[in-house]
Amino acid sequence: MRRIVVVTTGGTIASRWQGNGYAADAAGHDVLAAAVVPDGVGTEIVDLFTVNSPRLTTAHQLALLRAVHDVLGDPSVDGVVVTHGTDTLEESAFLLDLHHGDPRPVVLTGAQRPLEAVDGDASGNLYDALLTAASVEDLGVLTVFAGRVHAARGTVKMQTVAADAFADPSNEPVGKVGFGRVHIARRPERVAPLAVPAVDAELPRVDMVMHHADADPLLFEAAVDAGARGVVLVGAGAGNATPEFASAVRRAVAHGVLVALTTRVPAGAVTPIYAGGGGAVDLIAAGAVPMGTLRAGQARIAVLAALMSSPDGESNTATLSRLADPGGVVAAA
């Protein structure tokens, strides 16, 4: 019998009708009751919190990180399943993965339809997540949704309401679940795990700003003025903006702000191609760290993790570069 602990956090998978819309209010036992448990799997429940995932804070996510580590402190546990709202699942999954060095799996899942929906997807997703958690090892943190097994890194929500909600736009799934079996096709690329932040660790502010036609650095500079210790610049194309943004990045970095550069394009890596007009070449020269294929939400998590793990600006930058690009592809570009 494989012992799987289910940590519940709310989300659509725990949501019921409130009269004018849905909200998370179901306890873990109600959520798990929606699923058929695979043969040979025994489950236990940790009700951590019940929150609609757009309302999650860094404090919530760190509480989840510590809860998972506490569960895995018991060597008789074979794996962990986390039920989570889909809106910010990609962020929590990546945070967990950056701090996960145990060969036992941590699998996140959720639902696109509420708990009591006749055509709900909670049952299938939970079954697949439990089976995956009982079957694999040394793959890090995974997201299991609609019969697909995804690595935490790079996997984002691609559909607002469709059942097959998650994908990594730049990579194929790690595997799939079907006919009562988990089929693994590739091993995810991962970094050496970070230490779990102390309970009393400072929670740094990290903001995101998107470039667009007519954009200026006003909001970027407002984030710095508001006390952000990190800013994610979401560029156009392969990671481009304007000379004014390059100047703003240079000033922010000089004041110890950690700046990450990603792109609003769904797939592909940030690549330094254009110079002289605020392109990625200029932004990186100004001190922005290219984030490879990490998109905005996960780039922010990487900045947050780097800030919480490194005591000074130089270490922060080196840590962020490693978290963004474990294979060294961007550095070689």
Side-chain angles (χ1 to χ4, degrees):
M1 181 70 69
R2 305 290 284 175
R3 184 183 172 201
I4 306 300
V5 176
V6 180
V7 180
T8 63
T9 68
T12 300
I13 196 169
S15 292
R16 294 186 281 215
W17 183 250
Q18 306 297 317
N20 61 349
Y22 291 92
D25 71 351
H29 286 284
D30 293 330
V31 172
L32 194 58
V36 175
V37 177
D39 291 339
V41 173
T43 60
E44 300 169 29
I45 295 171
V46 174
D47 271 314
L48 189 59
F49 41 75
T50 306
V51 179
N52 289 341
S53 69
R55 296 180 59 193
L56 286 184
T57 64
T58 298
H60 282 115
Q61 291 172 320
L62 290 175
L64 173 59
L65 173 62
R66 295 186 183 104
V68 168
H69 276 252
D70 287 346
V71 168
L72 291 175
D74 183 344
S76 69
V77 171
D78 294 301
V80 178
V81 168
V82 177
T83 61
H84 197 291
T86 59
D87 285 0
T88 55
L89 185 150
E90 64 204 54
E91 298 171 39
S92 296
F94 190 49
L95 179 69
L96 291 174
D97 194 53
L98 291 177
H99 296 83
H100 184 61
D102 196 296
R104 292 171 292 177
V106 176
V107 179
L108 280 79
T109 195
Q112 287 283 74
R113 299 184 181 93
L115 181 62
E116 297 170 339
V118 175
D119 60 346
D121 55 341
S123 178
N125 287 342
L126 272 168
Y127 179 92
D128 290 350
L130 290 167
L131 185 63
T132 301
S135 304
V136 306
E137 65 176 15
D138 205 24
L139 294 176
V141 176
L142 303 168
T143 295
V144 172
F145 226 90
R148 291 179 173 84
V149 181
H150 302 283
R153 171 180 293 273
T155 296
V156 297
K157 188 173 182 180
M158 297 292 290
Q159 297 282 347
T160 56
V161 295
D164 191 2
F166 287 90
D168 178 347
S170 300
N171 283 294
E172 294 298 317
V174 168
K176 60 183 179 180
V177 185
F179 301 102
R181 296 184 61 189
V182 180
H183 306 267
I184 299 301
R186 68 178 182 91
R187 302 191 70 81
E189 188 175 48
R190 303 178 63 228
V191 298
L194 301 171
V196 176
V199 173
D200 60 352
E202 178 188 358
L203 305 184
R205 178 179 182 132
V206 180
D207 290 316
M208 298 189 293
V209 177
M210 180 179 286
H211 179 65
H212 54 84
D214 286 337
D216 61 34
L218 175 66
L219 297 178
F220 183 98
E221 292 168 338
V224 174
D225 291 342
R229 290 186 56 204
V231 180
V232 177
L233 175 57
V234 185
N240 306 308
T242 65
E244 292 76 18
F245 271 100
S247 296
V249 168
R250 186 173 292 106
R251 290 191 296 270
V253 170
H255 284 88
V257 177
L258 189 57
V259 179
L261 177 62
T262 184
T263 171
R264 66 189 198 185
V265 179
V270 170
T271 307
I273 302 171
Y274 300 106
V281 171
D282 305 315
L283 295 166
I284 294 169
V289 178
M291 299 307 291
T293 59
L294 294 180
R295 289 327 188 240
Q298 292 193 340
R300 180 185 173 277
I301 290 297
V303 172
L304 181 72
L307 288 169
M308 297 189 73
S309 68
S310 301
D312 58 68
E314 184 175 348
S315 297
N316 290 338
T317 301
T319 299
L320 181 60
S321 295
R322 179 173 65 87
L323 300 184
D325 185 33
V329 175
V330 174

